[in-house]
Amino acid sequence: MITSNTHTWQRRERVLERKSGLSPGWWWVGLLVVMIVTGYPLLQLLLKILQFDGRLSLESLHVAFTGKKYLTSFLNTLYVGLLTTTFSLLIGVPLALVVGRIRIPGGKLLRVILMIPYLIPGFVFAFAWRELLGPVGYLNKFYMLISGASEPLFSIYGPVGVVLILVLRGYPIVFITVIRSLRNMNAGYEEAAEVFGAGSLQTMRTITLPLMLPSISGAAILVFSSSIANFGVPAILGSPEGFYVLTTQIYSTILSYGLDNNLNIAASLSLYLIAAGLLFLGLQSRIISRRSYVVVTGKGGRTDLAPPGPEGWVYTLVLSLMGFALVILPLVAIGLSSITRAYGLMPRFENFTLKHFTSLLTDTFTTTALRNSFFLAFLSATLCTIIGFLIAVVTERSKILGRKILDFVATTPRSIPGTIIALAFILAWIRPIPLLGISLYNTFWIILLAYLSRFLGYTVRTISATLKQISPSLEEACLISGGKNWQRIAHILTPLSVEGLAGGWLLVFIPSLNELTMSILLYSSGKETIGVAVFSLLQEGKIGRAAAFSIVIIVIVLLGDRLLHRVTKGKRSLLG
Amino acid sequence: MADVQFNKITKRFGDITAVSDFSLSIEEGEFITLLGPSGCGKTTTLRLLAGFYPPSSGSIKIGGEPASDLERNVFLPPGRRRLGMVFQDYALWPHMTVSDNVRYPLKIAGRPRTEQNAKVDEILAIVEMSGCEQRFPHELSGGQQQRIALARALISDPRVLLLDEPLSNLDASLRENMRVEIKNIHRRLGVSILLVTHDQAEAMSMSDRIVVMDHGCIHQIGTPEELYDSPVDEFVASFVGKANFFKVRQVGTMLYLCGDSRSDGAFADEEFLQPLESAHIQGSPVRGLGCAKPTDFQISRDAPTGAHGIIESSLFIGDSVVYYVRVGSIQFQVKTEDRSFEIGTDVSVSFKKVILF
């Protein structure tokens, strides 16, 4: 009798304990919604892999793993990923060590310029480089003009171009990761080495770099997984040359309506990417958990940079050249294209016009795309913020069972390539929803749901980080003052996490606004987004208008980052 | 009727027992302090009373009504226990003005605006913070924040005021001031207070009764005087005021010193100390641990009785001097107003009082 009594008590205690944490009754509704939005399509994707001709079979896998073009695209993906990672590290790590340790005249501005490629969507930047170094790009035209040659000097199309653009988007990731841990590193470690007589190069080799290793490898993994997941860059610079990677191969397989079982094969192909993604997710969390005791404690970062010597100016020169060649030139090229009357005309004053910009506002195709994207971005940012806040509250403040699952389901799609998410959404919603008879396919809402699934993780993470900063006693003070749980959320938690809410909102709004990868697979006529519109204009050869649209995107993205900088006091912005 | 009754409260977190078999009743208007080192379970006890989590067993009554009682499946949420609380970090809401912070409990309770304003004025006057209504917490000093936290805790006439190490973030002089202030408020409003602290001076100077805790258990409950004069065990004696510990043996009315408390050879090199009139001795083991406060000694150059000692060092602390006196293998800390002893002086040491455990 006594034992049974103790059991009842223990159960009651557990129940009460959970209740005394924040235990909103709606948490399981949220879990269900997130499961359906995110979990169900991914489940469908996995199921489709095991089907062929509508039967249970391993044939799709067989085709995906033996078909020659599929294998080639897999090898191409590896090639692109490895090269991109290597070169990103070779540029990013030295850059961080130089900028983080030596005072460079004009260093702040140079840093901003060198980080710009990461902010601009890949397909826009690839387009910009095409205008510079495509067969009829300005640099090639200039070369042919002065040398009289009939062949261009260098073509950006093909694997080299793809890797180049991905490296330009990859090294900022390395730079930011390394410079952050460099700033956080206890300066004592380095100073100790110097006290014992190590020179500065020796210190860097024996102390600084080994201590940075966890963050460097973390950055490498991030670069690798984001470059193999990229769609826009290989779609613009690879596909025209017949150079396919997995994302573009999956895209064209989905669009191969003539091919039997094309969706099943595409699903099987995505297994390569999912496996790589999960592998790197695992590696990353391992490295992060190891890092916790390896090094980087917050205190005592070295803030004093070495005084500017003559070598400072050498660095200024090198970095300026780099910024000019890698960032400014392609932006100038796309800028010229956007104001040149007709494609192929020489950039002379009499050929300049603003008609491409004005046409953005008059042509229904582009105005529809603008309206759609702003509407979608606004909705997805707002919904992600609200849902993300509720999920973060549950995971950070309650003791409910299953909160870890909620967090996992909400944040995993962040690491899954957009192409795969879009495919999963096609597979899940191509047929009308049973019982309801509503079809999501070919509607606006399927795009919105895909955005939600893909970007929810950003808000969950940002808001969780904010909630971690809020002392629980502030909420306890509310409870003991008579506040109920909803008042605790409305009066205390919400106003105190405004920074994280606004930051999370922008972190979703900006990428949603210029999203291409998922939209290109999910859009239907009249539901085009900005990304889809630029891509279509490019395919149709309406270069001037595509360039003007791209300039608008670039301006929005840069303004967005400034705003993010303001809102989060520099914590989330990239341009620092 | 007692205001608060803890009845055999135990609280476990996983495998760790934070509070075990804790019983206490707080009388109406009483000022009780939970005293102990960090991790002794005092804060857990306070939070159990506040209702931030349920006990694992036992029950808590507030004002005669069950508040936490697993057996009867009763668990009042914190807001329905009529408590006020001052948190260690004050927990003032940074996005609200002083006035909005203080009025919050009334606002939640849905009191009319005019009543809220009158109450806020009244309570801010009590904590001497009138005129700060529109300031924000970060514009106030630590001591001022403390007063606002106190005002917020008091505004809805709580049955019990809970203070969780409220003075630990203040500097020394401000801390003394606030002790007096809190005592004054206690006297004036007659509210019961439960204070949690690890600072024995704070506990001694403010409380009606003190509960000394360690490892989740109560060692002693008593008035400050009782704890100081008759600690029940070594832990209480060492925690409440400084004390010298040493091994002793009593033979008849004679007390022998047997080395310091850490010597494990136990009762080996006995040294004659002094005959004692029984009035001076509390406790009666034939052999055991002796305890004497620094003020419980008498040292002199020429007294015939007492043990022989040498002054090894001295610390001048203003109103008195602490001498480190060696007697055989033991070093005593002796506090006296007599400043005249030099290092190396031979002295005769005798007890004014010894407690034997």
Side-chain angles (χ1 to χ4, degrees):
Chain A
M1 277 315 284
I2 288 167
T3 48
S4 82
N5 241 339
T6 342
H7 275 302
T8 336
W9 285 5
Q10 280 175 356
R11 205 169 55 237
R12 278 182 189 171
E13 183 193 357
R14 274 202 302 276
V15 169
L16 284 176
E17 207 141 68
R18 253 172 249 145
K19 275 192 182 163
S20 58
L22 232 178
S23 61
W26 38 258
W27 79 274
W28 59 267
V29 182
L31 179 64
L32 203 67
V33 169
V34 174
M35 284 285 192
I36 290 173
V37 169
T38 300
Y40 174 68
L42 291 175
L43 193 73
Q44 280 292 319
L45 181 82
L46 295 179
L47 286 178
K48 272 287 178 303
I49 293 173
L50 299 176
Q51 284 177 17
F52 200 80
D53 289 337
R55 279 176 293 106
L56 205 61
S57 152
L58 292 177
E59 186 59 24
S60 323
L61 273 176
H62 181 74
V63 172
F65 281 75
T66 54
K68 189 164 177 297
K69 60 178 177 181
Y70 304 128
L71 262 178
T72 311
S73 68
F74 170 64
L75 292 176
N76 285 345
T77 302
L78 273 187
Y79 169 84
V80 166
L82 289 175
L83 276 184
T84 303
T85 311
T86 312
F87 284 106
S88 297
L89 289 177
L90 286 178
I91 299 176
V93 173
L95 193 65
L97 291 178
V98 166
V99 173
R101 281 290 181 259
I102 296 166
R103 186 170 303 171
I104 297 166
K108 226 170 187 177
L109 178 68
L110 285 170
R111 189 184 154 171
V112 168
I113 291 172
L114 287 170
M115 289 304 110
I116 285 178
Y118 181 69
L119 288 181
I120 300 174
F123 67 95
V124 171
F125 207 53
F127 176 26
W129 273 88
R130 210 193 72 156
E131 292 313 286
L132 187 67
L133 274 178
V136 286
Y138 293 103
L139 219 56
N140 278 329
K141 268 197 286 193
F142 181 68
Y143 164 78
M144 291 189 279
L145 192 75
I146 55 167
S147 70
S150 57
E151 287 294 303
L153 177 67
F154 172 78
S155 171
I156 194 79
Y157 282 116
V160 176
V162 172
V163 171
L164 173 71
I165 307 304
L166 290 178
V167 167
L168 292 180
R169 291 171 52 73
Y171 80 76
I173 300 179
V174 178
F175 174 83
I176 287 166
T177 321
V178 174
I179 206 160
R180 271 195 192 141
S181 66
L182 205 58
R183 291 262 152 86
N184 288 335
M185 191 176 73
N186 190 337
Y189 296 135
E190 289 182 323
E191 283 160 1
E194 281 160 26
V195 165
F196 293 125
S200 58
L201 266 182
Q202 214 173 354
T203 306
M204 191 152 279
R205 193 170 53 79
T206 56
I207 307 293
T208 318
L209 274 178
L211 285 175
M212 294 289 105
L213 211 55
S215 60
I216 292 175
S217 42
I221 286 166
L222 215 61
V223 171
F224 186 88
S225 47
S226 77
S227 57
I228 64 170
N230 192 291
F231 168 77
V233 176
I236 286 181
L237 296 179
S239 305
E241 281 267 287
F243 178 76
Y244 283 95
V245 294
L246 280 171
T247 50
T248 45
Q249 185 63 60
I250 293 172
Y251 171 73
S252 76
T253 307
I254 294 171
L255 297 190
S256 304
Y257 301 115
L259 178 71
D260 286 339
N261 296 302
N262 64 329
L263 292 182
N264 305 59
I265 294 168
S268 303
L269 276 175
S270 60
L271 211 56
Y272 286 117
L273 281 173
I274 291 183
L278 290 182
L279 185 72
F280 286 110
L281 198 68
L283 269 180
Q284 196 187 6
S285 63
R286 243 186 94 169
I287 283 175
I288 285 170
S289 67
R290 254 189 18 207
R291 178 163 51 179
S292 62
Y293 66 86
V294 172
V295 87
V296 189
T297 49
K299 283 198 181 114
R302 184 184 265 198
T303 44
D304 52 322
L305 300 180
E311 84 276 13
W313 288 102
V314 176
Y315 286 121
T316 307
L317 188 68
V318 172
L319 295 186
S320 307
L321 282 177
M322 219 175 118
F324 179 74
L326 298 179
V327 185
I328 306 289
L329 267 187
L331 293 184
V332 168
I334 199 173
L336 283 177
S337 294
S338 75
I339 54 170
T340 303
R341 196 152 39 83
Y343 192 57
L345 287 181
M346 288 309 278
R348 280 199 214 95
F349 189 75
E350 63 267 26
N351 291 334
F352 288 164
T353 171
L354 283 178
K355 71 169 183 180
H356 300 309
F357 284 95
T358 50
S359 76
L360 292 183
L361 296 174
T362 51
D363 185 85
T364 46
F365 179 68
T366 48
T367 49
T368 310
L370 273 170
R371 206 176 44 237
N372 285 345
S373 273
F374 270 97
F375 185 57
L376 276 172
F378 178 81
L379 269 185
S380 76
T382 308
L383 287 172
C384 278
T385 306
I386 295 170
I387 301 171
F389 177 67
L390 297 179
I391 290 175
V393 165
V394 168
T395 54
E396 291 299 320
R397 286 298 196 268
S398 80
K399 295 163 183 154
I400 292 166
L401 296 171
R403 62 186 192 278
K404 292 264 164 64
I405 303 174
L406 186 61
D407 185 78
F408 179 78
V409 176
T411 55
T412 302
R414 217 169 42 136
S415 331
I416 297 177
T419 311
I420 298 180
I421 304 240
L423 173 60
F425 272 72
I426 293 173
L427 293 173
W429 308 118
I430 193 162
R431 267 172 301 206
I433 302 169
L435 302 177
L436 294 177
I438 306 166
S439 180
L440 280 176
Y441 193 62
N442 278 348
T443 67
F444 215 65
W445 310 113
I446 193 169
I447 308 180
L448 181 68
L449 284 183
Y451 285 10
L452 282 186
S453 167
R454 178 114 165 91
F455 297 128
L456 184 59
Y458 291 89
T459 53
V460 171
R461 281 284 168 271
T462 317
I463 298 168
S464 292
T466 313
L467 290 184
K468 281 200 177 88
Q469 306 281 318
I470 299 174
S471 161
S473 66
L474 292 171
E475 293 157 60
E476 286 165 359
C478 171
L479 291 180
I480 207 155
S481 302
K484 303 201 173 48
N485 270 334
W486 71 266
Q487 286 164 322
R488 165 186 182 180
I489 294 176
H491 297 165
I492 312 295
L493 273 182
T494 310
L496 287 180
S497 45
V498 158
E499 193 185 282
L501 294 173
W505 192 89
L506 277 171
L507 275 179
V508 175
F509 185 79
I510 299 168
S512 298
L513 198 59
N514 51 51
E515 212 285 333
L516 168 71
T517 312
M518 293 184 294
S519 322
I520 193 82
L521 281 168
L522 296 174
Y523 86 98
S524 46
S525 169
K527 319 286 190 308
E528 291 88 356
T529 64
I530 293 179
V532 172
V534 173
F535 199 76
S536 312
L537 288 172
L538 261 180
Q539 308 290 43
E540 293 163 24
K542 293 176 180 161
I543 305 302
R545 206 183 294 176
F549 221 157
S550 298
I551 294 290
V552 172
I553 293 179
I554 292 170
V555 170
I556 290 174
V557 158
L558 294 182
L559 287 180
D561 188 73
R562 287 294 81 197
L563 197 58
L564 196 61
H565 183 80
R566 268 260 172 92
V567 164
T568 63
K569 303 191 179 83
K571 267 178 262 168
R572 299 263 162 199
S573 147
L574 275 169
L575 299 187
Chain B
M1 169 68 74
D3 233 7
V4 173
Q5 265 182 305
F6 290 93
N7 186 20
K8 298 190 167 176
I9 288 289
T10 296
K11 179 64 185 174
R12 280 179 290 269
F13 296 106
D15 293 336
I16 299 155
T17 303
V19 176
S20 111
D21 208 22
F22 182 99
S23 294
L24 170 74
S25 54
I26 303 175
E27 303 302 322
E28 210 171 319
E30 200 177 15
F31 194 136
I32 292 239
T33 298
L34 303 180
L35 175 66
S38 64
C40 74
K42 55 190 192 301
T43 299
T44 306
T45 309
L46 185 88
R47 293 168 65 81
L48 281 165
L49 174 58
F52 292 139
Y53 31 66
S56 303
S57 66
S59 62
I60 299 173
K61 280 184 182 173
I62 300 175
E65 301 290 319
S68 296
D69 191 340
L70 287 185
E71 210 171 341
R72 291 195 224 164
N73 214 4
V74 174
F75 185 71
L76 289 185
R80 287 179 49 203
R81 297 183 173 217
R82 287 198 51 202
L83 304 170
M85 182 160 173
V86 175
F87 293 81
Q88 188 167 5
D89 58 1
Y90 314 137
L92 294 178
W93 299 302
H95 59 297
M96 297 187 195
T97 60
V98 163
S99 158
D100 289 338
N101 262 285
V102 174
R103 97 174 51 241
Y104 190 80
L106 300 180
K107 202 175 124 192
I108 290 287
R111 302 285 179 73
R113 187 84 188 173
T114 47
E115 186 193 329
Q116 289 180 22
N117 289 337
K119 266 294 219 175
V120 168
D121 288 347
E122 182 193 334
I123 205 82
L124 284 181
I126 290 178
V127 299
E128 296 173 11
M129 288 295 288
S130 303
C132 293
E133 286 84 353
Q134 295 315 313
R135 315 252 304 261
F136 280 92
H138 68 265
E139 298 170 331
L140 305 175
S141 70
Q144 289 173 317
Q145 291 183 17
Q146 165 91 74
R147 287 163 194 268
I148 300 305
L150 207 52
R152 183 180 65 186
L154 287 168
I155 197 159
S156 49
D157 298 319
R159 208 188 286 273
V160 186
L161 177 62
L162 311 180
L163 306 174
D164 184 7
E165 307 243 8
L167 304 180
S168 59
N169 285 333
L170 300 177
D171 58 48
S173 64
L174 207 53
R175 208 178 297 169
E176 301 238 324
N177 284 343
M178 283 311 294
R179 279 187 203 163
V180 178
E181 294 270 338
I182 292 175
K183 278 298 274 184
N184 286 343
I185 286 169
H186 176 232
R187 233 186 325 265
R188 188 162 158 190
L189 302 179
V191 60
S192 307
I193 293 184
L194 184 64
L195 170 75
V196 157
T197 184
H198 62 268
D199 180 341
Q200 56 102 4
E202 199 171 301
M204 301 289 273
S205 58
M206 297 172 78
S207 331
D208 296 326
R209 281 194 296 155
I210 297 174
V211 180
V212 183
M213 294 179 70
D214 191 33
H215 290 108
C217 299
I218 297 179
H219 277 252
Q220 188 172 6
I221 304 178
T223 64
E225 292 81 7
E226 281 167 3
L227 293 186
Y228 192 80
D229 293 337
S230 6
V232 294
D233 57 21
E234 187 187 353
F235 178 79
V236 177
S238 68
F239 208 78
V240 180
K242 247 192 183 103
N244 296 286
F245 293 98
F246 42 88
K247 289 193 168 156
V248 291
R249 194 150 90 104
Q250 192 186 355
V251 178
T253 57
M254 301 295 269
L255 192 66
Y256 293 86
L257 280 180
C258 313
D260 68 26
S261 59
R262 286 181 303 274
S263 65
D264 45 338
F267 309 107
D269 47 345
E270 302 186 356
E271 289 170 51
F272 169 73
L273 189 59
Q274 68 180 109
L276 279 164
E277 292 98 79
S278 50
H280 288 149
I281 303 179
Q282 291 182 4
S284 59
V286 175
R287 53 175 59 189
L289 199 62
C291 162
K293 307 265 182 207
T295 48
D296 289 343
F297 291 92
Q298 189 140 36
I299 53 174
S300 63
R301 287 193 184 76
D302 41 14
T305 58
H308 170 254
I310 300 172
I311 307 275
E312 287 196 329
S313 56
S314 69
L315 295 175
F316 176 59
I317 53 170
D319 56 345
S320 55
V321 186
V322 173
Y323 293 105
Y324 288 79
V325 184
R326 173 150 313 270
V327 177
S329 59
I330 313 172
Q331 192 185 48
F332 290 120
Q333 284 184 43
V334 177
K335 194 170 167 185
T336 168
E337 286 173 20
D338 187 345
R339 303 180 185 175
S340 66
F341 297 99
E342 305 265 326
I343 291 173
T345 313
D346 289 318
V347 288
S348 155
V349 183
S350 54
F351 290 112
K352 289 192 275 189
K353 185 182 142 193
V354 179
I355 300 167
L356 299 180
F357 300 125

